[in-house]
Structures are given as C-alpha cells and as structure tokens.
Amino acid sequence: VGLFNQEDVFASVSSAIKNRWIWLAINLMTAFLASRMIGIFEGTIQQVVALAALTPVIAGIAGNSGNQTLTLIVRSIALGVIKNNSVPKLLTKEVSIAFINGTIWGFVAGLGTWLIYFDNKYALQLGLIMMIAIVLNLILASIIAVLVPFFLRSLKRDPAIGASVLLTFGTDSMGFLLFLGLATMVFA
C-alpha cells in the first residue's frame, strides 16, 4: 500500500516472517483477552448454557461485516482514492450500512435462535438479545474498520497487515461483552 515496512509478495520467507510475527503476537494476546471476556460471564453462561453455543455467532458475523468494510478502506487508501479528511463521511456511511445490515441479519439470527431454542424457557429473550447484540457489534465493526487503517497509517504501519488483527479483537471481545452483558442484565 505504499507504506513503510511494506511486504512484497515475492519477499523472502524470513522477511515475511519478520513483517508478520508482531501481528501474530498481538493476535495471540488479544485472543486471550477476548476469551477472558467470556470468563467474566461464567455464571450467566452456567445459568443459560445456550449462550455458549450462540456467542461465536455474534463475533463471526461482525468480523465478516467488518472485514468487508476494512478491505474496501485499505484498498481505497492504497489506490489513493480516500484521504484522512474523508473519514467522517466514510464513518457515517459505514455505520448506516452496519445498522441496516445489523437490523436485518440480527432479526434473522434472532428468529433462528428462537426457532432453534424454541423448547427453552428463555427462547424469546435469547432471540432478542441475539438481535440487539448483532446490531451493536456490526456498528462497532464498521467504526473499527474505518478508523483503524487510518490510525495504523498515522503510525507508519501497513494497514493491510495489521488492521484485521485489531478488527478481530474488537469484534470478538466487544461482541462477547455486548451479548453476554445483555444476557446478564436480562437473566440476572
């Protein structure tokens, strides 16, 4: 993307390892932090075991949505299509898209949750929590996906290499916090 520490696809194996290892280390640390987010809600998960099975859905859909936005932003930065002054407009657009997609797919996921856990006494609450958490996490993913590439670029780091690690951390940890936090408020 024309930034410092750029990796050429034909670079040596040792050069590629050197460029990538820091992001793998950051990813490992942030994955442990995200897993601790789940641990905080152990009592709620024990009360409603279905939460454990549903938690990855929240992180997964937001991660995919955020990666779509992130790819567009990084590619546009690389091509010189967008500059720093475009951030507010991009943020507004991407949050709007995330809200609409989150509402639609959150409803679908909520309905699916209700149907899957129909015999569970908490089926309706699980479906509603699923829907709200997806909407909120998709909005968060869009914010991260727009801001992180510009932040990394300001640090003279290649957003194409590191932005997805930070996006994953955000959508995983905050998705778990949103979903399990809402569940704790409802089931406490």
Side-chain angles (χ1 to χ4, degrees):
V1 295
L3 299 172
F4 305 92
N5 299 326
Q6 181 177 346
E7 182 181 322
D8 182 339
V9 294
F10 296 108
S12 69
V13 170
S14 63
S15 175
I17 289 170
K18 196 183 311 180
N19 277 337
R20 298 179 195 184
W21 79 267
I22 187 68
W23 292 110
L24 293 172
I26 290 169
N27 182 243
L28 185 60
M29 288 185 298
T30 59
F32 276 115
L33 288 172
S35 75
R36 287 308 315 137
M37 196 63 66
I38 294 171
I40 292 169
F41 297 101
E42 189 175 319
T44 305
I45 293 170
Q46 287 176 349
Q47 184 181 350
V48 184
V49 178
L51 293 168
L54 295 170
T55 301
V57 175
I58 303 299
I61 193 165
N64 285 326
S65 177
N67 270 314
Q68 292 171 350
T69 301
L70 185 64
T71 300
L72 292 171
I73 298 296
V74 170
R75 182 178 62 195
S76 295
I77 289 172
L79 296 174
V81 175
I82 56 175
K83 306 290 183 219
N84 290 351
N85 63 353
S86 304
V87 172
K89 183 177 178 181
L90 291 168
L91 205 50
T92 301
K93 176 189 172 200
E94 293 302 326
V95 167
S96 299
I97 293 167
F99 176 76
I100 293 166
N101 278 334
T103 301
I104 293 166
W105 292 106
F107 176 79
V108 170
L111 181 61
T113 299
W114 177 72
L115 290 171
I116 291 168
Y117 294 99
F118 186 75
D119 58 346
N120 185 310
K121 68 180 180 176
Y122 300 119
L124 181 59
Q125 293 96 323
L126 284 169
L128 289 172
I129 293 166
M130 176 70 86
M131 182 178 141
I132 294 167
I134 285 176
V135 171
L136 295 175
N137 208 22
L138 259 64
I139 290 170
L140 177 69
S142 69
I143 293 168
I144 293 169
V146 170
L147 296 180
V148 165
F150 290 100
F151 173 71
L152 289 175
R153 189 171 76 166
S154 75
L155 297 176
K156 300 186 182 341
R157 304 305 271 168
D158 185 349
I161 301 292
S164 65
V165 170
L166 299 174
L167 174 68
T168 299
F169 170 62
T171 57
D172 287 359
S173 60
M174 292 308 295
F176 301 155
L177 177 65
L178 289 166
F179 182 59
L180 297 172
L182 288 167
T184 299
M185 290 181 352
V186 170
F187 299 125

